[in-house]
Amino acid sequence: MDIPRRPGQPHPRLALPKAGLGDDLEAFQHWLQQAIPQVAHLGIQRMGLDGEALEWHLELAPSLNDKGTGFGGAMASQAILIGWCWLTLWLRQQGRAQDVVIADARQRFLAPVSGDYRLRCEPASADGVAALRERLTNRGKGRISLVQHLYCGETLCFEAGGDYAVLPSSPT
């Protein structure tokens, strides 16, 4: 059942998975479309995990600009969102239900996006996950830098990065 969204009212959390993520990506994508209504209009065809990377396959049509190529604002928004999703999914794998926010974002446009594309997100450094895990264990909150790369075919068209913060758990 779809829950209507209202300003100022948080959307209910998706229950944590019983073990790992497995088929959880489909349930997560459905929940995400309800929690953030704009997601239903981004053209996400599918989500997948590849090692430590989260990858989306997107259709271009919903993000066209006046020139018939990808709208930069849409790509920037998608990059921020896939980072938020990466960290939210990682926390779910750890059995942690904590809020995630974007703290800093930057992007670079390298080539026009002229067809359907894929967006990939992963930690910016090899020790990023271990450092985040340690901060969460010791302080209950933490930050991680993530990078996003957008490919149209084999062409790297856009790259972005962001620092994402895991907020302390709220008392229940």
Side-chain angles (χ1 to χ4, degrees):
M1 177 170 76
D2 294 343
I3 300 168
R5 295 302 321 273
R6 291 186 173 74
Q9 293 181 348
H11 193 72
R13 286 188 192 276
L14 180 62
L16 291 171
K18 300 246 187 290
L21 280 178
D23 296 332
D24 190 50
L25 281 179
E26 196 173 307
F28 179 78
Q29 186 173 350
H30 178 74
W31 171 84
L32 188 64
Q33 290 175 352
Q34 300 304 311
I36 304 172
Q38 178 184 356
V39 170
H41 306 286
L42 295 181
I44 301 170
Q45 296 173 323
R46 71 181 186 278
M47 292 184 183
L49 294 170
D50 178 16
E52 283 198 335
L54 175 61
E55 191 167 276
W56 290 355
H57 292 262
L58 299 108
E59 58 183 316
L60 176 59
S63 298
L64 283 173
N65 65 17
D66 59 319
K67 295 159 205 61
T69 59
F71 173 55
M75 292 183 289
S77 176
Q78 291 163 354
I80 290 170
L81 182 61
I82 197 173
W84 182 91
C85 289
W86 185 96
L87 186 48
T88 298
L89 288 165
W90 183 85
L91 288 167
R92 290 171 58 72
Q93 283 180 317
Q94 311 307 305
R96 300 181 80 105
Q98 288 178 257
D99 288 327
V100 173
V101 296
I102 180 76
D104 178 60
R106 57 217 162 269
Q107 53 264 285
R108 210 166 69 129
F109 300 88
L110 305 169
V113 175
S114 56
D116 292 352
Y117 54 97
R118 64 189 164 91
L119 183 58
R120 185 176 173 87
C121 178
E122 57 198 324
S125 68
D127 65 341
V129 170
L132 174 62
R133 186 178 283 118
E134 182 179 327
R135 284 189 294 273
L136 288 171
T137 300
N138 294 334
R139 298 184 1 218
K141 63 181 182 175
R143 286 171 83 111
I144 188 169
S145 291
L146 300 173
V147 295
Q148 299 87 18
H149 294 99
L150 185 152
Y151 296 90
C152 188
E154 295 303 312
T155 303
L156 176 61
C157 298
F158 171 81
E159 56 187 13
D163 296 335
Y164 295 79
V166 179
L167 303 178
S169 298
S170 37
T172 29

Coordinates of all heavy atoms in Angstrom, one line a residue, residues 51-138:
G51 N 30.5 -5.8 -6.1 CA 31.5 -5.6 -5.1 C 31.0 -4.5 -4.1 O 29.9 -4.6 -3.6
E52 N 31.8 -3.5 -3.9 CA 31.5 -2.4 -3.0 C 30.7 -1.3 -3.8 O 30.4 -0.3 -3.2 CB 32.7 -1.8 -2.4 CG 33.2 -2.7 -1.2 CD 34.2 -1.9 -0.3 OE1 34.8 -0.9 -0.7 OE2 34.3 -2.3 0.9
A53 N 30.4 -1.5 -5.0 CA 29.8 -0.5 -5.8 C 28.3 -0.7 -6.0 O 27.8 -1.9 -6.1 CB 30.4 -0.4 -7.2
L54 N 27.5 0.4 -6.0 CA 26.1 0.3 -6.3 C 26.0 0.9 -7.7 O 26.6 1.9 -8.0 CB 25.3 1.2 -5.3 CG 23.8 1.3 -5.6 CD1 23.1 0.0 -5.6 CD2 23.1 2.3 -4.6
E55 N 25.3 0.2 -8.6 CA 25.1 0.7 -10.0 C 23.7 0.8 -10.3 O 22.9 -0.1 -10.0 CB 25.9 -0.2 -10.9 CG 26.0 0.3 -12.3 CD 27.0 -0.5 -13.1 OE1 28.2 -0.2 -13.0 OE2 26.6 -1.4 -13.9
W56 N 23.3 1.9 -11.0 CA 22.0 2.1 -11.5 C 22.1 2.1 -13.0 O 23.0 2.7 -13.6 CB 21.4 3.4 -11.1 CG 21.0 3.6 -9.7 CD1 21.0 2.6 -8.7 CD2 20.6 4.8 -9.0 NE1 20.6 3.1 -7.5 CE2 20.3 4.4 -7.7 CE3 20.3 6.0 -9.5 CZ2 19.8 5.4 -6.8 CZ3 19.9 7.0 -8.6 CH2 19.6 6.7 -7.2
H57 N 21.1 1.6 -13.7 CA 20.9 1.7 -15.1 C 19.7 2.6 -15.3 O 18.6 2.3 -14.8 CB 20.7 0.3 -15.8 CG 22.0 -0.5 -15.7 ND1 22.9 -0.6 -16.7 CD2 22.5 -1.2 -14.7 CE1 23.9 -1.3 -16.4 NE2 23.7 -1.7 -15.1
L58 N 19.9 3.7 -16.1 CA 18.9 4.7 -16.2 C 18.6 5.0 -17.7 O 19.4 4.9 -18.5 CB 19.3 6.0 -15.5 CG 19.6 6.0 -14.1 CD1 21.1 6.1 -13.8 CD2 18.9 7.0 -13.3
E59 N 17.3 5.3 -17.9 CA 16.9 5.8 -19.3 C 17.1 7.3 -19.3 O 16.9 8.0 -18.3 CB 15.5 5.4 -19.6 CG 14.4 5.8 -18.7 CD 13.1 5.3 -19.1 OE1 12.8 5.3 -20.3 OE2 12.4 4.9 -18.2
L60 N 17.5 7.8 -20.5 CA 17.7 9.3 -20.6 C 16.5 10.1 -20.7 O 16.4 11.2 -20.2 CB 18.6 9.5 -21.9 CG 18.9 11.0 -22.2 CD1 19.6 11.7 -21.1 CD2 19.7 11.0 -23.5
A61 N 15.4 9.6 -21.3 CA 14.2 10.4 -21.6 C 13.7 11.3 -20.4 O 13.5 12.4 -20.7 CB 13.1 9.4 -22.1
P62 N 13.6 10.8 -19.2 CA 13.1 11.7 -18.1 C 14.1 12.8 -17.8 O 13.7 13.8 -17.1 CB 12.9 10.8 -16.9 CG 13.0 9.4 -17.4 CD 13.8 9.4 -18.7
S63 N 15.3 12.7 -18.2 CA 16.3 13.7 -17.8 C 16.8 14.6 -19.0 O 17.9 15.1 -19.0 CB 17.5 13.0 -17.2 OG 17.1 12.4 -16.0
L64 N 16.0 14.6 -20.1 CA 16.5 15.4 -21.3 C 16.5 16.9 -21.0 O 15.6 17.4 -20.3 CB 15.5 15.1 -22.4 CG 15.7 13.8 -23.2 CD1 14.6 13.6 -24.2 CD2 17.1 13.7 -23.8
N65 N 17.5 17.6 -21.6 CA 17.5 19.0 -21.5 C 17.0 19.6 -22.9 O 16.6 18.8 -23.8 CB 18.9 19.5 -21.2 CG 19.9 19.2 -22.2 OD1 19.6 18.9 -23.4 ND2 21.2 19.3 -21.8
D66 N 17.1 20.9 -23.0 CA 16.6 21.5 -24.3 C 17.4 21.2 -25.5 O 17.0 21.4 -26.6 CB 16.6 23.0 -24.1 CG 17.9 23.6 -23.7 OD1 18.6 23.0 -22.9 OD2 18.2 24.7 -24.3
K67 N 18.6 20.6 -25.3 CA 19.5 20.2 -26.4 C 19.4 18.8 -26.8 O 20.0 18.3 -27.7 CB 21.0 20.5 -26.0 CG 21.3 22.0 -25.8 CD 22.5 22.2 -25.0 CE 22.5 23.5 -24.3 NZ 21.5 23.7 -23.3
G68 N 18.5 18.0 -26.1 CA 18.3 16.6 -26.4 C 19.3 15.7 -25.7 O 19.4 14.5 -26.1
T69 N 20.1 16.3 -24.8 CA 21.1 15.5 -24.1 C 20.7 15.5 -22.6 O 19.7 16.1 -22.2 CB 22.5 16.0 -24.3 OG1 22.6 17.4 -23.8 CG2 22.9 15.9 -25.7
G70 N 21.5 14.9 -21.7 CA 21.2 14.8 -20.3 C 21.3 16.2 -19.6 O 22.2 16.9 -19.8
F71 N 20.3 16.5 -18.8 CA 20.2 17.7 -18.1 C 21.2 17.6 -16.9 O 21.1 16.7 -16.0 CB 18.8 17.9 -17.6 CG 18.6 19.1 -16.7 CD1 19.1 20.4 -17.0 CD2 18.0 18.9 -15.4 CE1 18.9 21.4 -16.1 CE2 17.9 20.0 -14.6 CZ 18.3 21.2 -14.9
G72 N 22.1 18.5 -16.8 CA 23.1 18.5 -15.7 C 22.5 18.4 -14.3 O 23.1 17.8 -13.4
G73 N 21.5 19.2 -14.1 CA 20.8 19.2 -12.8 C 20.3 17.8 -12.4 O 20.4 17.4 -11.2
A74 N 19.8 17.1 -13.4 CA 19.2 15.8 -13.1 C 20.4 14.8 -12.7 O 20.3 14.0 -11.8 CB 18.5 15.2 -14.3
M75 N 21.5 14.9 -13.5 CA 22.6 14.0 -13.2 C 23.2 14.4 -11.8 O 23.6 13.4 -11.1 CB 23.7 14.2 -14.3 CG 23.2 13.6 -15.6 SD 24.4 13.7 -16.9 CE 24.5 15.4 -17.2
A76 N 23.3 15.6 -11.5 CA 23.8 16.0 -10.1 C 22.9 15.4 -9.0 O 23.4 14.9 -8.0 CB 23.9 17.5 -10.0
S77 N 21.6 15.6 -9.2 CA 20.6 15.0 -8.3 C 20.8 13.5 -8.1 O 20.8 12.9 -7.0 CB 19.2 15.4 -8.7 OG 18.3 14.9 -7.9
Q78 N 20.9 12.8 -9.3 CA 21.0 11.4 -9.3 C 22.3 11.0 -8.6 O 22.3 10.0 -7.8 CB 21.0 10.8 -10.7 CG 19.6 11.0 -11.3 CD 19.6 10.8 -12.8 OE1 20.7 10.7 -13.5 NE2 18.5 10.9 -13.4
A79 N 23.4 11.7 -8.8 CA 24.7 11.4 -8.1 C 24.6 11.5 -6.6 O 25.0 10.6 -5.9 CB 25.8 12.3 -8.7
I80 N 23.9 12.6 -6.2 CA 23.7 12.7 -4.7 C 22.9 11.6 -4.2 O 23.2 11.0 -3.1 CB 23.1 14.1 -4.4 CG1 24.2 15.2 -4.7 CG2 22.6 14.2 -2.9 CD1 23.6 16.6 -4.6
L81 N 21.8 11.3 -4.9 CA 20.9 10.2 -4.4 C 21.5 8.9 -4.4 O 21.3 8.1 -3.4 CB 19.6 10.2 -5.2 CG 18.6 9.2 -4.8 CD1 18.1 9.5 -3.4 CD2 17.4 9.3 -5.8
I82 N 22.3 8.5 -5.4 CA 22.9 7.2 -5.4 C 23.9 7.0 -4.3 O 24.0 6.0 -3.7 CB 23.5 6.8 -6.8 CG1 23.7 5.3 -6.8 CG2 24.8 7.5 -7.0 CD1 24.2 4.8 -8.2
G83 N 24.6 8.1 -3.9 CA 25.4 8.1 -2.7 C 24.7 7.9 -1.5 O 25.1 7.1 -0.6
W84 N 23.6 8.6 -1.3 CA 22.7 8.4 -0.2 C 22.2 7.0 -0.1 O 22.2 6.3 1.0 CB 21.5 9.4 -0.2 CG 20.6 9.3 0.9 CD1 20.7 10.1 2.1 CD2 19.4 8.5 1.0 NE1 19.6 9.7 2.9 CE2 18.8 8.7 2.3 CE3 18.9 7.5 0.2 CZ2 17.7 8.1 2.7 CZ3 17.7 6.9 0.7 CH2 17.2 7.1 1.9
C85 N 21.8 6.4 -1.3 CA 21.4 5.0 -1.3 C 22.5 4.1 -1.0 O 22.3 3.1 -0.2 CB 20.8 4.7 -2.7 SG 19.2 5.5 -3.0
W86 N 23.7 4.3 -1.5 CA 24.8 3.4 -1.2 C 25.0 3.3 0.3 O 25.1 2.2 0.8 CB 26.1 3.9 -1.8 CG 27.3 3.0 -1.7 CD1 27.7 2.1 -2.6 CD2 28.1 2.9 -0.5 NE1 28.8 1.4 -2.0 CE2 29.0 1.8 -0.8 CE3 28.2 3.5 0.7 CZ2 30.0 1.4 0.2 CZ3 29.1 3.1 1.7 CH2 30.0 2.1 1.4
L87 N 25.0 4.5 1.0 CA 25.3 4.4 2.4 C 24.1 3.9 3.2 O 24.3 3.1 4.1 CB 25.7 5.8 2.9 CG 26.1 6.0 4.4 CD1 27.1 4.9 4.8 CD2 26.6 7.4 4.6
T88 N 22.9 4.2 2.8 CA 21.7 3.6 3.4 C 21.7 2.1 3.3 O 21.5 1.4 4.3 CB 20.4 4.2 2.9 OG1 20.5 5.7 3.1 CG2 19.2 3.6 3.5
L89 N 22.0 1.6 2.1 CA 22.1 0.1 1.9 C 23.2 -0.5 2.7 O 23.0 -1.6 3.3 CB 22.2 -0.2 0.4 CG 20.9 0.1 -0.4 CD1 21.3 0.1 -1.9 CD2 19.8 -1.0 -0.1
W90 N 24.3 0.1 2.8 CA 25.5 -0.4 3.5 C 25.1 -0.5 5.0 O 25.3 -1.5 5.7 CB 26.7 0.5 3.4 CG 27.9 0.0 4.1 CD1 28.8 -1.0 3.6 CD2 28.3 0.3 5.4 NE1 29.7 -1.2 4.6 CE2 29.5 -0.4 5.7 CE3 27.8 1.2 6.4 CZ2 30.1 -0.3 6.9 CZ3 28.5 1.3 7.6 CH2 29.7 0.6 7.8
L91 N 24.4 0.6 5.5 CA 24.0 0.5 6.9 C 23.0 -0.6 7.2 O 23.0 -1.3 8.2 CB 23.4 1.9 7.3 CG 24.3 3.0 7.5 CD1 23.5 4.4 7.5 CD2 25.2 2.9 8.7
R92 N 22.1 -0.8 6.2 CA 21.1 -1.9 6.3 C 21.8 -3.3 6.4 O 21.4 -4.1 7.2 CB 20.1 -1.9 5.1 CG 19.2 -0.7 5.2 CD 18.4 -0.6 3.9 NE 17.6 -1.8 3.6 CZ 16.5 -2.2 4.3 NH1 16.0 -1.5 5.3 NH2 15.8 -3.3 3.9
Q93 N 22.9 -3.4 5.6 CA 23.7 -4.7 5.7 C 24.3 -4.9 7.0 O 24.5 -6.0 7.5 CB 24.8 -4.6 4.6 CG 24.4 -4.9 3.2 CD 25.6 -4.9 2.3 OE1 26.5 -4.0 2.4 NE2 25.6 -5.8 1.4
Q94 N 24.6 -3.8 7.7 CA 25.2 -3.8 9.0 C 24.2 -4.0 10.1 O 24.5 -4.0 11.3 CB 26.1 -2.6 9.3 CG 27.0 -2.2 8.2 CD 28.0 -3.3 7.8 OE1 28.6 -3.9 8.6 NE2 28.0 -3.6 6.5
G95 N 22.9 -4.0 9.8 CA 21.8 -4.1 10.7 C 21.6 -2.8 11.5 O 21.1 -2.7 12.6
R96 N 22.0 -1.6 10.9 CA 21.8 -0.3 11.5 C 20.8 0.5 10.8 O 20.8 0.6 9.6 CB 23.2 0.4 11.4 CG 24.3 -0.3 12.1 CD 25.6 0.5 12.0 NE 25.5 1.6 13.0 CZ 26.2 1.6 14.1 NH1 27.0 0.6 14.4 NH2 26.2 2.6 15.0
A97 N 19.8 1.0 11.5 CA 18.8 1.9 11.0 C 19.1 3.3 11.5 O 18.5 3.8 12.5 CB 17.4 1.4 11.5
Q98 N 20.0 4.0 10.7 CA 20.3 5.4 11.0 C 20.1 6.3 9.8 O 20.1 5.8 8.7 CB 21.8 5.4 11.5 CG 22.1 4.8 12.8 CD 23.5 4.8 13.2 OE1 24.2 3.8 13.2 NE2 24.0 6.0 13.6
D99 N 19.9 7.5 10.1 CA 19.7 8.5 9.0 C 21.0 8.9 8.4 O 22.0 9.0 9.0 CB 19.0 9.7 9.6 CG 17.5 9.5 9.9 OD1 16.9 8.6 9.2 OD2 17.0 10.1 10.8
V100 N 20.9 9.2 7.1 CA 22.0 9.6 6.3 C 21.7 11.0 5.6 O 20.6 11.2 5.2 CB 22.3 8.6 5.1 CG1 23.3 9.1 4.2 CG2 22.7 7.2 5.7
V101 N 22.7 11.9 5.6 CA 22.5 13.1 4.9 C 23.8 13.4 4.1 O 24.9 13.0 4.4 CB 22.3 14.3 5.9 CG1 20.9 14.1 6.7 CG2 23.4 14.5 6.9
I102 N 23.6 14.2 3.1 CA 24.7 14.7 2.2 C 25.3 15.9 3.0 O 24.6 16.8 3.4 CB 24.3 15.0 0.8 CG1 25.5 15.5 0.0 CG2 23.2 16.0 0.8 CD1 26.4 14.4 -0.5
A103 N 26.6 15.9 3.1 CA 27.3 17.0 3.8 C 28.0 17.9 2.8 O 28.1 19.1 3.0 CB 28.3 16.5 4.8
D104 N 28.5 17.4 1.7 CA 29.2 18.1 0.7 C 29.1 17.4 -0.7 O 29.2 16.2 -0.7 CB 30.7 18.2 1.1 CG 31.5 19.0 0.1 OD1 31.2 20.2 -0.2 OD2 32.5 18.4 -0.5
A105 N 28.9 18.1 -1.8 CA 28.8 17.5 -3.1 C 29.6 18.3 -4.1 O 29.6 19.6 -4.0 CB 27.4 17.3 -3.5
R106 N 30.2 17.7 -5.0 CA 30.9 18.3 -6.1 C 30.7 17.5 -7.4 O 30.6 16.3 -7.3 CB 32.3 18.6 -5.8 CG 33.1 17.4 -5.4 CD 34.1 17.6 -4.3 NE 34.5 16.4 -3.7 CZ 34.0 15.8 -2.6 NH1 32.9 16.4 -2.1 NH2 34.4 14.7 -2.1
Q107 N 30.7 18.1 -8.6 CA 30.6 17.4 -9.8 C 31.4 18.0 -10.9 O 31.7 19.2 -10.9 CB 29.1 17.2 -10.2 CG 28.3 18.5 -10.3 CD 27.6 18.8 -9.0 OE1 26.6 18.1 -8.7 NE2 28.0 19.6 -8.1
R108 N 31.6 17.2 -11.9 CA 32.4 17.6 -13.1 C 31.7 17.0 -14.3 O 31.5 15.8 -14.4 CB 33.8 17.2 -13.0 CG 34.8 18.1 -13.7 CD 36.2 17.8 -13.2 NE 36.6 16.5 -13.7 CZ 37.7 16.2 -14.4 NH1 38.6 17.2 -14.6 NH2 38.0 15.0 -14.8
F109 N 31.4 17.8 -15.3 CA 30.7 17.4 -16.5 C 31.8 17.2 -17.6 O 32.5 18.2 -17.9 CB 29.6 18.4 -17.0 CG 28.6 18.6 -15.9 CD1 28.7 19.5 -14.9 CD2 27.5 17.7 -15.9 CE1 27.8 19.6 -13.9 CE2 26.5 17.9 -14.9 CZ 26.6 18.8 -13.9
L110 N 31.9 16.0 -18.2 CA 33.0 15.7 -19.1 C 32.6 15.6 -20.5 O 33.4 15.9 -21.4 CB 33.7 14.4 -18.6 CG 34.2 14.5 -17.2 CD1 34.6 13.1 -16.7 CD2 35.3 15.5 -17.0
A111 N 31.4 15.1 -20.8 CA 30.9 14.9 -22.1 C 29.4 14.8 -22.1 O 28.8 14.5 -21.1 CB 31.4 13.6 -22.7
P112 N 28.7 15.2 -23.2 CA 27.2 15.1 -23.2 C 26.7 13.7 -23.1 O 27.4 12.7 -23.5 CB 26.9 15.6 -24.6 CG 28.1 16.2 -25.2 CD 29.3 15.6 -24.5
V113 N 25.6 13.5 -22.4 CA 25.0 12.2 -22.2 C 23.9 12.2 -23.3 O 22.9 12.9 -23.3 CB 24.3 12.1 -20.8 CG1 23.6 10.8 -20.7 CG2 25.4 12.2 -19.8
S114 N 24.1 11.3 -24.3 CA 23.2 11.2 -25.4 C 22.4 10.0 -25.6 O 21.7 9.8 -26.6 CB 24.1 11.4 -26.7 OG 25.1 10.4 -26.7
G115 N 22.4 9.1 -24.6 CA 21.6 7.9 -24.6 C 21.4 7.4 -23.2 O 21.9 8.0 -22.2
D116 N 20.8 6.2 -23.0 CA 20.6 5.6 -21.7 C 22.0 5.5 -21.1 O 23.0 5.3 -21.8 CB 19.9 4.3 -21.8 CG 18.4 4.5 -22.3 OD1 18.0 5.6 -22.3 OD2 17.8 3.5 -22.5
Y117 N 22.1 5.4 -19.8 CA 23.4 5.5 -19.1 C 23.4 4.7 -17.8 O 22.3 4.2 -17.4 CB 23.8 6.9 -18.9 CG 22.8 7.8 -18.1 CD1 22.9 7.9 -16.7 CD2 21.8 8.4 -18.8 CE1 22.0 8.7 -16.1 CE2 20.9 9.2 -18.1 CZ 21.0 9.4 -16.7 OH 20.1 10.2 -16.1
R118 N 24.6 4.5 -17.3 CA 24.7 3.8 -16.0 C 25.5 4.7 -15.1 O 26.4 5.5 -15.5 CB 25.3 2.5 -16.1 CG 26.7 2.4 -16.6 CD 27.2 1.0 -16.9 NE 28.4 1.0 -17.7 CZ 29.6 1.0 -17.2 NH1 29.8 1.0 -15.9 NH2 30.7 1.1 -18.0
L119 N 25.1 4.7 -13.8 CA 25.7 5.6 -12.8 C 26.2 4.6 -11.7 O 25.5 3.8 -11.2 CB 24.6 6.5 -12.2 CG 25.0 7.5 -11.2 CD1 26.2 8.4 -11.7 CD2 23.8 8.4 -10.7
R120 N 27.5 4.8 -11.4 CA 28.1 3.9 -10.4 C 28.6 4.7 -9.2 O 29.2 5.7 -9.4 CB 29.3 3.2 -11.2 CG 30.0 2.2 -10.4 CD 31.1 1.6 -11.4 NE 31.9 0.6 -10.6 CZ 31.7 -0.6 -10.5 NH1 30.6 -1.2 -11.0 NH2 32.5 -1.4 -9.8
C121 N 28.4 4.1 -8.0 CA 28.9 4.8 -6.8 C 29.6 3.8 -5.9 O 29.2 2.6 -5.8 CB 27.6 5.3 -6.0 SG 28.0 6.1 -4.4
E122 N 30.8 4.3 -5.4 CA 31.6 3.5 -4.5 C 32.4 4.4 -3.6 O 32.5 5.6 -3.8 CB 32.5 2.6 -5.3 CG 33.4 3.3 -6.3 CD 33.9 2.3 -7.4 OE1 34.2 1.2 -7.1 OE2 34.1 2.8 -8.5
P123 N 33.0 3.8 -2.5 CA 33.8 4.6 -1.6 C 35.0 5.2 -2.4 O 35.6 4.7 -3.3 CB 34.4 3.6 -0.6 CG 33.3 2.5 -0.6 CD 32.9 2.4 -2.1
A124 N 35.3 6.5 -2.0 CA 36.4 7.2 -2.6 C 37.8 6.6 -2.3 O 38.7 6.8 -3.1 CB 36.4 8.7 -2.2
S125 N 37.9 6.0 -1.1 CA 39.2 5.4 -0.7 C 39.0 4.0 -0.3 O 37.9 3.6 0.2 CB 39.9 6.2 0.3 OG 39.2 6.2 1.5
A126 N 40.1 3.2 -0.4 CA 40.0 1.8 0.0 C 39.7 1.6 1.5 O 39.1 0.6 1.9 CB 41.3 1.1 -0.4
D127 N 40.2 2.5 2.3 CA 39.9 2.4 3.8 C 38.7 3.1 4.3 O 38.4 3.2 5.5 CB 41.2 2.8 4.5 CG 41.5 4.3 4.4 OD1 41.0 4.9 3.4 OD2 42.2 4.9 5.2
G128 N 37.9 3.7 3.4 CA 36.7 4.4 3.7 C 35.7 3.7 4.6 O 35.2 4.2 5.6
V129 N 35.4 2.4 4.1 CA 34.4 1.6 4.8 C 34.9 1.2 6.2 O 34.2 1.3 7.2 CB 34.0 0.4 4.0 CG1 33.2 -0.6 4.8 CG2 33.3 0.8 2.7
A130 N 36.2 0.8 6.3 CA 36.7 0.4 7.6 C 36.8 1.6 8.6 O 36.4 1.5 9.8 CB 38.1 -0.1 7.4
A131 N 37.1 2.8 8.1 CA 37.1 4.0 8.9 C 35.7 4.4 9.4 O 35.5 4.7 10.6 CB 37.8 5.2 8.2
L132 N 34.8 4.3 8.5 CA 33.4 4.5 8.9 C 32.9 3.5 9.9 O 32.3 3.9 10.9 CB 32.5 4.5 7.7 CG 31.0 4.6 8.0 CD1 30.7 6.0 8.6 CD2 30.1 4.5 6.7
R133 N 33.2 2.3 9.7 CA 32.8 1.2 10.7 C 33.3 1.5 12.1 O 32.6 1.4 13.1 CB 33.2 -0.1 10.2 CG 32.7 -1.3 11.0 CD 33.1 -2.6 10.5 NE 32.3 -3.0 9.3 CZ 32.7 -3.2 8.1 NH1 34.0 -3.1 7.8 NH2 31.9 -3.5 7.1
E134 N 34.6 1.9 12.1 CA 35.2 2.2 13.4 C 34.6 3.4 14.1 O 34.3 3.4 15.3 CB 36.7 2.5 13.2 CG 37.5 2.8 14.5 CD 38.9 3.0 14.2 OE1 39.5 2.4 13.3 OE2 39.5 3.8 15.0
R135 N 34.3 4.5 13.3 CA 33.6 5.7 13.9 C 32.2 5.3 14.4 O 31.8 5.8 15.4 CB 33.6 6.8 12.9 CG 34.9 7.5 12.7 CD 34.9 8.8 11.9 NE 34.5 8.5 10.5 CZ 35.4 8.2 9.5 NH1 36.6 8.2 9.8 NH2 34.9 8.0 8.3
L136 N 31.5 4.5 13.6 CA 30.2 4.1 14.1 C 30.2 3.3 15.4 O 29.4 3.5 16.3 CB 29.4 3.3 13.0 CG 29.0 4.2 11.8 CD1 28.5 3.2 10.7 CD2 27.9 5.2 12.1
T137 N 31.2 2.4 15.4 CA 31.3 1.6 16.7 C 31.7 2.5 17.9 O 31.2 2.3 18.9 CB 32.4 0.5 16.4 OG1 32.0 -0.3 15.3 CG2 32.6 -0.3 17.7
N138 N 32.7 3.4 17.6 CA 33.2 4.2 18.8 C 32.3 5.4 19.1 O 32.2 5.8 20.3 CB 34.6 4.7 18.5 CG 35.6 3.5 18.4 OD1 35.4 2.5 19.0 ND2 36.6 3.7 17.6

